[in-house]
């Protein structure tokens, strides 16, 4: 047989966050007491009012196709949320409801990228961005930042990467994996550059509700008419409402972009599950006290984790400001040996932690930083304490 497979699919790496999380779950099922600092998935149950809305949708027979881009009530609720929380005005026909934030992002890239277009991705980055850009025939261009820069890129750093092929910049604040938050001033400078050089901004604001410093979340699209026209703002319900499995994300964009995304979605997936849409409507319009409780608990865990990490030998970390990740510099560890073998990189460290200490962490080579690890604090305090004790035991042995 001489049949071949597509070059496009050959170039895509599977998601290591999902793979590591699946492995941790499988080991747990085999009876091992694994602490999983892997995927960013809240340990909380979806709030009961949201589940009840889904059950009601089933009982009411709300189980048929909906418009491919989402039900109008949910789009209106997303608009109201954009207006109130992000100070952004979108009309319902500028909104698309997608199968999770990932699907919103793939729709966006498919809508704006032509073959060879460059998309600037500040590093560290969430590992799916480069793969998504490649799947849309674009070319990821990375701009690196350091701990001294708070792992945030400036407009000046981005400017150095801009070429006549630059189509877009991906901006993720609060950031996965660093937990860093871009200030209004940072964003104003980046917005001015996007307008001057005329490129799109793909604003991934999935963690917008999870900022612990008292600072407000700033949406770059809210900073003026010109940047609004060039920005696609995307978010979802997975993280802040503990709704990872429901798969509801959304984007607000200039109408011509939303139309393209909706047309593609109408062929690819049709609507997001009708029941999940009703659940999302309740999440966005119902009481918010559960969300606030979850956020307060994430904050408590964040402070504990940061304090413990700072006290450990060989590791360093900036205080996370948002999302639910600690981005830990393990470059010193990579120079050391364990059981006579040099650790070399974060993947080596993650393997030792999993095999010998029953602790799953994310090595960040796929996030652009091969000597860093990411720890999620979206797991219980008890698990965090146990996992950090184990990491500390290894650090003390080295
Ligand atoms: N976005 C989450 C994470 O970074 C979930 C897993 C994934 O989709 O990558 O852990």
């Amino acid at each position: 047989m001489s049949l071949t497979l597509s070059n496009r699919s050959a170039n895509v790496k599977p998601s290591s966050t999902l793979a590591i999380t699946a492995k941790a779950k499988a080991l747990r099922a085999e009876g091992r007491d694994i602490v999983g600092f892997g995927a960013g998935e809240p340990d909380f149950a979806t709030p009961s009012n949201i589940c009840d809305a889904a059950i009601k949708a089933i009982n009411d027979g709300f189980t048929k196709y909906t418009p491919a881009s989402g039900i109008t009530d949910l789009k209106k609720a997303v608009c109201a949320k954009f207006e109130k929380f992000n100070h952004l005005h979108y009309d319902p026909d500028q909104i698309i409801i997608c199968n999770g934030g990932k699907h919103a992002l793939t729709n966006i890239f498919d809508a704006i990228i032509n073959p060879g277009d460059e998309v600037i991705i500040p590093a560290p980055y969430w590992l799916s961005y480069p793969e998504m850009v490649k799947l849309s025939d674009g070319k990821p261009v990375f701009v690196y930042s350091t701990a001294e820069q708070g792992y945030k890129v400036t407009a000046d750093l981005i400017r150095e990467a801009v070429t006549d092929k630059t189509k877009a910049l991906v901006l993720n604040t609060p950031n996965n994996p660093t937990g860093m938050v871009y200030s209004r001033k940072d964003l104003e400078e980046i917005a001015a550059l996007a307008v001057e050089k005329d490129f799109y901004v793909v604003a991934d604001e999935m963690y917008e509700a999870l900022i612990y410093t008292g600072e407000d979340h700033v949406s770059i699209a809210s900073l003026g008419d010109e940047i609004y026209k060039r920005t696609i703002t995307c978010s979802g319900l997975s993280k802040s409402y503990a709704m990872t499995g429901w798969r509801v994300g959304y984007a607000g964009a200039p109408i011509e972009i939303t139309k393209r995304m909706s047309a593609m979605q109408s062929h690819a997936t049709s609507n997001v599950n009708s029941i999940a849409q009703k659940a999302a409507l309740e999440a966005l319009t119902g009481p918010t006290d559960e969300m606030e409780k979850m956020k307060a608990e994430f904050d408590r865990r964040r402070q504990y984790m940061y304090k413990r990490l700072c006290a450990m030998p060989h590791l360093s970390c900036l205080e996370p400001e948002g999302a639910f990740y600690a981005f830990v510099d393990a470059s010193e560890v990579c120079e050391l040996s364990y059981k006579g073998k040099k650790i070399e990189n974060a993947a080596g460290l993650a393997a030792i932690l999993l095999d010998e200490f029953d602790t799953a962490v994310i090595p960040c080579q796929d996030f652009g930083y091969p000597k860093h690890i990411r720890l999620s604090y979206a797991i219980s305090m008890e698990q965090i304490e146990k996992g950090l004790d184990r990491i500390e035991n290894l650090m003390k042995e080295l």
Side-chain angles (χ1 to χ4, degrees), residues 105-387:
L105 286 163
T106 54
N107 275 334
I108 294 166
F109 292 128
D110 279 344
I112 63 175
I113 293 176
N114 283 317
D117 282 351
E118 293 177 357
V119 176
I120 297 176
I121 303 179
Y125 45 81
W126 177 46
L127 76 180
S128 288
Y129 299 138
E131 305 309 303
M132 290 171 172
V133 167
K134 286 190 278 171
L135 273 171
S136 298
D137 288 337
K139 183 177 167 220
V141 173
F142 303 113
V143 175
Y144 291 87
S145 58
T146 61
E148 290 68 39
Q149 295 157 339
Y151 296 116
K152 286 187 282 190
V153 295
T154 57
D156 286 342
L157 282 171
I158 298 168
R159 182 183 289 277
E160 287 169 24
V162 174
T163 71
D164 56 0
K165 294 209 175 84
T166 303
K167 186 49 124 1
L169 163 76
V170 178
L171 196 78
N172 174 219
T173 178
N175 185 272
N176 173 8
T178 65
M180 293 296 135
V181 174
Y182 281 75
S183 70
R184 178 175 292 272
K185 185 167 170 290
D186 299 331
L187 295 173
E188 279 168 353
E189 288 170 7
I190 293 170
L193 180 70
V195 173
E196 178 197 327
K197 296 288 184 184
D198 203 19
F199 54 76
Y200 288 114
V201 176
V202 178
D204 179 359
E205 305 187 359
M206 179 57 89
Y207 298 92
E208 61 192 350
L210 299 173
I211 297 180
Y212 310 103
T213 55
E215 233 177 305
D216 283 336
H217 170 73
V218 179
S219 286
I220 193 165
S222 71
L223 298 176
D225 289 348
E226 289 302 316
I227 188 65
Y228 176 87
K229 285 189 234 165
R230 290 171 177 80
T231 303
I232 305 100
T233 309
C234 116
S235 188
L237 286 89
S238 296
K239 313 295 183 179
S240 35
Y241 295 90
M243 288 180 71
T244 46
W246 299 76
R247 309 312 300 139
V248 187
Y250 54 84
I255 183 81
E256 62 280 9
I257 298 181
T258 311
K259 274 191 184 153
R260 299 276 182 110
M261 293 197 281
S262 303
M264 290 185 291
Q265 182 161 304
S266 75
H267 293 293
T269 61
S270 299
N271 57 276
V272 171
N273 176 318
S274 58
I275 300 151
Q277 290 191 68
K278 284 288 190 184
L281 179 61
E282 171 62 21
L284 291 175
T285 56
T288 55
D289 42 331
E290 284 302 312
M291 257 180 92
E292 277 146 30
K293 271 194 232 157
M294 290 191 264
K295 181 178 169 187
E297 178 58 16
F298 288 142
D299 189 19
R300 196 170 78 91
R301 299 170 184 177
R302 170 187 78 102
Q303 293 180 38
Y304 174 78
M305 183 180 270
Y306 175 60
K307 206 168 105 209
R308 289 282 312 265
L309 287 167
C310 287
M312 283 187 205
H314 311 305
L315 298 176
S316 65
C317 159
L318 298 183
E319 181 169 357
E321 301 165 334
F324 35 55
Y325 306 109
F327 185 58
V328 183
D329 184 344
S331 30
E332 197 179 306
V333 177
C334 298
E335 297 308 312
L336 303 172
S337 296
Y338 181 73
K339 293 192 174 164
K341 193 168 161 249
K342 192 171 172 205
I343 294 173
E344 295 281 359
N345 52 35
L349 171 60
I352 295 167
L353 281 169
L354 188 59
D355 296 345
E356 313 263 344
F357 292 81
D358 284 349
T359 300
V361 302
I362 302 284
C364 287
Q365 70 275 11
D366 292 345
F367 293 71
Y369 285 66
K371 296 193 172 175
H372 284 63
I373 56 172
R374 189 193 77 175
L375 306 185
S376 161
Y377 49 87
I379 58 172
S380 74
M381 194 61 150
E382 185 207 341
Q383 288 289 299
I384 292 174
E385 281 174 25
K386 195 198 280 187

Side-chain angles (χ1 to χ4, degrees), residues 79-131:
C79 290
K81 176 256 155 196
F82 269 133
E83 197 89 52
K84 186 165 168 223
F85 185 79
N86 309 77
H87 310 295
L88 266 176
H89 179 79
Y90 290 112
D91 290 324
D93 56 5
Q94 291 179 272
I95 303 296
I96 178 169
I97 312 296
C98 304
N99 289 283
K102 272 182 182 162
H103 188 216
L105 286 163
T106 54
N107 275 334
I108 294 166
F109 292 128
D110 279 344
I112 63 175
I113 293 176
N114 283 317
D117 282 351
E118 293 177 357
V119 176
I120 297 176
I121 303 179
Y125 45 81
W126 177 46
L127 76 180
S128 288
Y129 299 138
E131 305 309 303

Side-chain angles (χ1 to χ4, degrees), residues 37-64:
F37 288 115
E41 173 164 53
D43 57 320
F44 303 108
T46 304
S48 58
N49 61 310
I50 299 175
C51 297
D52 288 345
I55 293 165
K56 182 169 184 314
I58 296 174
N59 288 334
D60 289 351
F62 194 74
T63 53
K64 309 285 187 199

